[in-house]
Structure formats: structure tokens, C-alpha cells
Amino acid sequence: MENQKIDIRKLSLIELEDYFLAKGDKKFRAKQVYDWLWNKSLKNFDDMSNISLATREMLKENFIINHIQVDLMQHSTDGTIKNAVKLFDDKIVESVLIPTTKRITACVSSQVGCSLDCNFCATARLKRMRNLSPGEIYDQVVAIKEEAETYFKRPLTNIVFMGMGEPLLNYANVIEAIDKITSPEGLGMAPRRITLSTVGVTKMIRKMADDEVKFNLAVSLHSAINETRSRLMPINDSNPVEELAEALKYWYQKTKRKVTYEYVIWDGINDDEKHARALAKFCKIIPSKVNLIQYNPIDEGEFRQAKPEAVEMYVRILEQNGIIAKVRKSRGQDIDAACGQLANKNEVGQLTSI
Ligand code: SAH
């Protein structure tokens, strides 16, 4: 039966070499197949043109390639593209291509749904269904890389783990995907072009520091005051601001990489000077910068984007404290591709497909 076959991309190069040696074949056959699977991102064994027919048949009998399929592609008026990606078990995740004048960024998902309950995020309402495999994460990048070349005639320049899910709760698979994305056998992208965004799982920030990862870290902060942060993000109860600060100090000590804080300012929630000053203080713990993200409404609920004056007040206070702050405009809002809007709306038939 199909589903008893092993997903061949779960095998490392060494395991694949052992497989071919055990079958009486040459070790380098593994390298050839591995190259098709990762570097060339092939979806079926029949296209492996330098592999003999007999070997291809043998592979088909033992393995499958659990490749993703872009089920629906939506184009925003601002150039942003959102992919609804179908997985082998028919589950759907979303990834986004974000074009700017200088960059083309792929925003990828790490889990189907999300187990965190951030009150302002649409993905949170889906609950977590499962982790994505390294191949499923890698394929999302490949799909966007191809779309960048097709629609923009430009290469993919950056990757952000800011799609669905919490990457640090699927750590092993995310790290393996990044290894493949950065290795010459994969996509050969520079780790400094990759940013992992976390809700702030302190234990895992320490683990990443210990692993001396070479990519960038972003933390969804939204408030540096416990009471407010816990109201927004329940994870703050078990990972409070002080612990986050300690974990980030450890991160900086080990990696010497500065951190980006993602921060939404909401009307009547964190739009006062007290919150702005708390953020400025928090930013001094280690070298950092702030992205002030526009709120993307997910329903008629309690959250509203703060007034422009509040955003200006934040920028002024941060600048007075020597902290770099950028106000980020929302992208792809018309197709629900903006931060926090990824929720498989089309899957549940709330939108008509284009
Ligand atoms: N779980 C990780 C990765 C998701 S990144 C994390 O939390 O960092 C998605 C980013 O969009 C996070 O910074 C999140 O806080 C933010 N976000 C979620 N909902 C949003 C919304 N409705 N409007 C704007 N930003 C939102």
C-alpha cells in the first residue's frame, strides 16, 4: 500500500548510501538521487533521467516522495502572492511571497495550525494539527523561489518563518529544513538571509543559542509589560518577560546576533507612553531593532490598530533611546496574506477562489 512506503526524503544522504550499498549498487547512486530530491526538487522518480529504469522501479516500490502541491495561488494588488499548499494528507498550510524593490521574501509555515492562543491571530483559531516535515517546509521555499523567477524574473532573497505555526515547537524539523535550504546540495542560501520568528519560547531560544545557529531571530513581543503581554499572548504566563530577557541575553552572549522585536500597537491596549517606555527599556537588554507592524483585523473583535499619533509617539520614544524602529506597512491584506491572517479561509469555503 502507498502509505506503507517510506518518504524517501526522511533519509539522510548517509542512510541513502547505506540503502544503495545494501542493494549491491554504488555509493554515488545515493548522491545522484539525493541531488534530484533536494537540489532539483523533483516530484517523481520517473524524471530521474540519469538513474536506470530498474533502479527507478525499485525506488518506486519502496519509497514515495511526499511533495507539496500548490493548490491555490492568489495575487494581491500589491504584488504579494499567497499559496495554499496541499500536503500529502490533504491538510493545507499557507505561504506567502512578498516582493519589495530590493527583496523577494518567502514567508513559510512550520506547522498545520498553531497550538498557541495569541488572541489577535487568525492562525490561533485553527489549533495545531501537526508539525510539518523538513521536506514540506523546504518545498514551500522552492515553490516561492520558482514563482519569484516566473512572475518577477528575480531570485528569492530572504526567508522568514512567519507563516502558520510556532517554529520553535517544531524545532528539529525546522532546523533540518534550514540545513537543506542553506547547504550546497539544497538551495545554497546564506543563513543570514533567514529569520525565524518566535512567540518567545525561552527554553528553545537557549537551545538555539547552544546550537550556535547562524540565522536571525525575531521575537513577537507586542508588550514588555507582563500583565498586558499575558492578556495578548497566554504563553507569557509560563514564559514571562523577565525570563524572555534572560534567554535573549544568553542568545546574544552565544551568537552575537541582534534580535528584531515584532510589535503591534493596539488602540486602548498598549498605545500609551508607559508601554512605549517599557519597550524602549526592553530593547536595551541586548542589541535589537523594532518592527512596528500594522494590525491586520481578523474579525470585528476587541482589537483595533492604534491611531497614527500613538505610532508616532512610539517611534519618537524609541529614537530618543537610540533604538532603530521601522513602521511596517501591511502587505497582501486584500487576499488575507498579511501577518496573522493565515487561516486557510478558502479551505472552509469562505472565499471564492480566483
Ligand atoms: N509563531 C511565530 C511565527 C508567526 S509570525 C511568532 O509568533 O512569532 C506571525 C507574526 O504576525 C507574529 O509576529 C504575530 O505576532 C503577528 N501577528 C499575528 N496576528 C496578527 C495580526 N492580526 N496583525 C498583525 N500581526 C499579527
Side-chain angles (χ1 to χ4, degrees):
M1 257 168 61
E2 279 292 305
N3 57 9
Q4 281 170 342
K5 295 180 184 175
I6 302 166
D7 177 5
I8 191 165
R9 293 190 303 173
K10 289 215 163 105
L11 268 55
S12 66
L13 180 59
I14 294 169
E15 286 166 335
L16 212 51
E17 284 172 352
D18 289 344
Y19 169 81
F20 280 108
L21 288 174
K23 295 278 177 197
D25 203 334
K26 302 270 184 325
K27 195 171 155 185
F28 80 83
R29 195 77 61 225
K31 180 86 180 65
Q32 288 176 316
V33 170
Y34 198 80
D35 190 56
W36 283 118
L37 291 173
W38 294 104
N39 185 275
K40 302 203 176 59
S41 204
L42 226 61
K43 296 183 181 155
N44 56 66
F45 295 108
D46 290 326
D47 295 337
M48 298 187 172
S49 55
N50 61 354
I51 307 294
S52 76
L53 208 57
T55 306
R56 278 186 249 161
E57 288 305 319
M58 178 181 80
L59 289 173
K60 276 199 268 181
E61 271 163 34
N62 292 297
F63 300 105
I64 43 165
I65 307 174
N66 277 339
H67 217 284
I68 64 156
Q69 250 183 322
V70 177
D71 209 35
L72 174 70
M73 200 196 294
Q74 289 174 287
H75 293 260
S76 161
T77 46
D78 67 17
T80 302
I81 297 177
K82 181 168 85 169
N83 291 337
V85 162
K86 194 186 253 183
L87 311 174
F88 74 95
D89 54 359
D90 286 343
K91 297 217 165 19
I92 306 264
V93 291
E94 293 175 330
S95 16
V96 185
L97 178 159
I98 308 152
T100 61
T101 41
K102 288 200 196 123
R103 296 174 173 188
I104 292 200
T105 302
C107 173
V108 297
S109 295
S110 54
Q111 297 181 313
V112 187
C114 189
S115 60
L116 303 165
D117 291 312
C118 301
N119 293 319
F120 48 84
C121 180
T123 309
R125 308 200 170 163
L126 295 174
K127 303 298 166 201
R128 191 194 83 96
M129 286 175 252
R130 72 166 172 88
N131 284 336
L132 295 191
S133 69
E136 289 167 335
I137 297 170
Y138 183 89
D139 290 349
Q140 293 176 66
V141 176
V142 172
I144 290 192
K145 182 178 184 291
E146 286 168 2
E147 287 164 12
E149 285 151 13
T150 307
Y151 295 101
F152 298 89
K153 311 276 175 267
R154 283 159 54 192
L156 175 68
T157 57
N158 295 74
I159 301 168
V160 294
F161 282 81
M162 295 186 187
M164 293 173 154
E166 168 52 44
L168 293 191
L169 296 181
N170 183 17
Y171 185 71
N173 290 354
V174 166
I175 292 295
E176 206 182 316
I178 294 178
D179 279 349
K180 294 269 172 9
I181 292 165
T182 52
S183 87
E185 286 89 34
L187 301 178
M189 284 188 69
R192 68 189 151 77
R193 301 206 166 265
I194 300 174
T195 301
L196 182 151
S197 175
T198 175
V199 75
V201 188
T202 53
K203 194 174 121 198
M204 298 311 292
I205 292 176
R206 288 173 184 273
K207 166 95 177 99
M208 266 197 304
D210 285 334
D211 290 347
E212 295 180 20
V213 299
K214 300 282 182 288
F215 50 79
N216 302 303
L217 176 63
V219 175
S220 300
L221 191 60
H222 304 309
S223 173
I225 297 175
N226 274 324
E227 201 190 335
T228 313
R229 194 165 191 267
S230 285
R231 180 178 159 197
L232 296 165
M233 313 163 79
I235 181 126
N236 192 70
D237 292 340
S238 51
N239 294 254
V241 170
E242 302 73 31
E243 255 182 48
L244 183 58
E246 288 308 312
L248 290 168
K249 274 190 215 164
Y250 188 73
W251 160 268
Y252 189 72
Q253 204 187 321
K254 289 265 181 177
T255 66
K256 293 283 171 290
R257 301 190 80 83
K258 73 168 155 196
V259 172
T260 303
Y261 299 122
E262 295 156 276
Y263 201 100
V264 176
I265 311 169
W266 286 281
D267 199 32
I269 293 179
N270 58 354
D271 59 349
D272 55 4
E273 267 201 46
K274 185 178 90 176
H275 282 89
R277 294 201 186 282
L279 172 61
K281 194 169 162 214
F282 193 87
C283 287
K284 290 188 178 166
I285 296 169
I286 60 163
S288 62
K289 61 179 175 144
V290 177
N291 279 344
L292 294 170
I293 321 171
Q294 191 185 321
Y295 176 58
N296 301 304
I298 55 167
D299 55 21
E300 303 298 310
E302 58 174 310
F303 296 101
R304 278 180 320 268
Q305 164 70 28
K307 301 196 174 58
E309 305 88 83
V311 180
E312 281 158 28
M313 178 270 294
Y314 259 82
V315 172
R316 196 183 62 243
I317 289 181
L318 291 170
E319 277 175 359
Q320 280 167 358
N321 283 276
I323 294 147
I324 301 169
K326 290 216 174 85
V327 180
R328 296 269 179 214
K329 283 218 194 75
S330 188
R331 305 290 309 267
Q333 239 188 15
D334 55 337
I335 53 165
D336 284 324
C339 295
Q341 290 188 311
L342 302 184
N344 295 347
K345 261 200 190 174
N346 292 302
E347 194 193 10
V348 291
Q350 289 174 6
L351 267 183
T352 46
S353 40
I354 50 163

